[in-house]
Amino acid sequence: MAQSKPDAQRRSRSGDAATAKHKQLESFSQAPENLLTTTQGVVVPDNHGSLRAGARGPTLLEDFLLREKLTHFDRERIPERVVNARGASAHGHFELYRSLGQYTKADFLQEAGLRTPVFVRFSGFSGERGSADTVRDLRGFAVKFYTREGNYDLVGASAPVFFIQDAMKFPDLVHALKPEPHHGMPQASSAHDTFWDFVSLMPESTHALMWLMSDRALPRSWRMMEFFGVHSFRFINAHGASHFVKFHWKPKLGRHALAWDEAQKLAGRDPDFLRRDLWESIARGHCPEWELGVQLVEEGKADALGIDLLDPTKLIPEEVVPVQAIGKLVLNRNPENFFAESEQVAFNPGHLVPGIDFSNDPLLQGRLFSYLDAQVARLGGANFHELPINRSLCPFHNHQRDGLHRIGLPKGQVSYEPNTLANGSEFRVDGGHQGFQSHEDVMDASKVRRRSVSFDDHYSQATLFWNSQGPAEKDHIVCAFQNELARVETPAIRQRVVDNLAHVDARLARKVAEPLGMVADAKAAAGRAGFREHRGKVTVESSPALSMESAVSPLVTRRVAVLVDSGVEIGALKIFQQALAEHQVTLKIVAGHLGVVSTSSGQQLQVDHCFLTASSVLFDAVLVPGGAAHAQALAANGRAVHFVLEAYRHCKPICVIGEGVELLRSLGIDADTPSAEGVLVGKGDPAGRVPLAQEFIGAMARHRHWTRSRLDTVMA
Ligand code: HDE
């Protein structure tokens, strides 16, 4: 690449005297953009061929242009993250709604309206860097707040609970989940023997498994996901008083899932589906937003809750401790360089600011070691904090020095403390009351390698999650367990899982076991090591906040496919376009070919996508306008038929107008039966167009109509 102008200008300004050399550099900075140089700035005369002994002879070792290019290329890859390897990011800000001074002295949480710059990375837990976005997985949501007191990282996930209770088990969990070591399969999938072998022997994973098998693991968009801080942290106020705090990120666009069949097809159609969705929405100015919420528990009242706040397999039901919204996160700028920002960003739950502190959660405590260790290994040394994306925006000063890839230029003689040489008077830091003060926890305990008995309840919150799901969500969970276990080759592993499920809910276990040809036996699970009969205090029987089913939410950025062929009647289409534009919905015209199609009134309609590339899984809803010739042509087009059937099977809103109804009839879909919920038919008469468009908007606000029955009979 050519030397960038700002770099060259900076270099030219560094020499004070207006010497001949200075002039020469200035003129270099105006060199054409397409001038190619080596990394030393030497112009490359020809980038198409190496230096050879004769046009047909061997390449010469002295060709430093070739060697420099290949040497750099050979080192372009760095190790991917050992977990959460696949992800993408965005810049934005966090704006505080009201002062939290009562609870925490954190500077960025004091002043209502204060905006703190953030960088957020979304990720999938299990897949490698090149895996697909829409696989069934836990998702990561890591937020770096560039505060005035230093960087604060909130490194969270799409479930409020995790699979294990102690950091000691993390490598085992990850080894079991990742591709099996002998053949390196399967990629980005928990549906294999080693994963279920491990979790079936670790009943503490049951609650997190319920989340992984639920719709939460198949997001329609990262922008439509709820995220959590998982562990209990502490807020510490200016007087040293402590509250336990659990963090929640609530999406403004609501929480929505893909159908399982759709997620699998999308992994092939567009493996970048989620990162593309984020990128495109920000590029179009639809900036995703989340509210940050906190559940606060006074330190002295934690025991009365009956839920051990140090156990990361437990949540606090929102109905027991309400979530208070404290501010909003807005993502409004795409990164400029994927590697420099998304790949090199280094998150660490140990990046804290004064006023926020850890709890003794043994999983969190292990993370405090692991992240820094991982960054040093991945980013090649101790100076990764100097990379632009990791640098704090507030000034920092210490006496760390040297190391691989030192970028800064620390000046002066002094790199130790205390000293008098730096500015002539003594500089000493000892035991002051400024800066980060760890919460003064009273400790008087024996050194033990043992878990608290309060961690023994492995099932009651898995049952709470199950009880809180709607009927369709329960069906999806059952199907997910069936699907995963049907791929497990060892019958004894399948049996252990269904036996464990019998402790969550007898009906769930029975339904999962049926197609596997098994009978769930709760007593068998009870006899195994790791099983504990202990059930904690039941705080609530069901928590509506855990269900996503009844969510009605804004339509902003949803995508509608309009299927057309020659002779399409566009009177109604125009009304729909207007109505949907008010909700910032994107309409795309899909036809048998690109270019234009002729409408029934002889106009030319521009086509956005043809059936070769447009699949129903890339859209949220389908609209088929009227027009006799157009409807007949679509009904005879296998790809159009498949498009509608698939959208029906994935429970998406479908609206057909006028003769378009022929298409539905030919597919055997009767819009009048209750089972065809979300399928709308309009006559196409001018008076009915506006109400029909509104009805369609209402159906889209529901996102999916999961209650459609007998979906397995649909041929798509
Ligand atoms: Fe992580 N985790 N983790 N983790 N984690 C990493 O950090 C680790 C855990 C999470 O976008 C690694 O830089 C241990 C829980 C996210 O860059 C690594 C334990 C939660 C990301 C690591 C956990 C997370 C990571 C991989 C158990 C949900 C991606 C390379 C003690 C709250 C951050 C790296 C990004 C990444 C270790 C458990 C979330 C190896 C040892 C629980 C979102 O350091």
Side-chain angles (χ1 to χ4, degrees), residues 81-84 121 123 140-142 155-157 162 164 167 170 228-231 345 347 363 366-367 370-371 374-375 378:
R81 290 167 175 85
V82 63
V83 286
N84 298 78
R121 182 169 179 272
S123 53
F141 186 73
V155 193
F162 202 62
I164 48 170
F170 191 65
F228 308 86
V230 178
H231 314 279
V345 64
F347 292 98
L363 192 68
R367 293 179 76 195
S370 191
Y371 286 67
Q375 315 306 356
R378 223 171 70 76

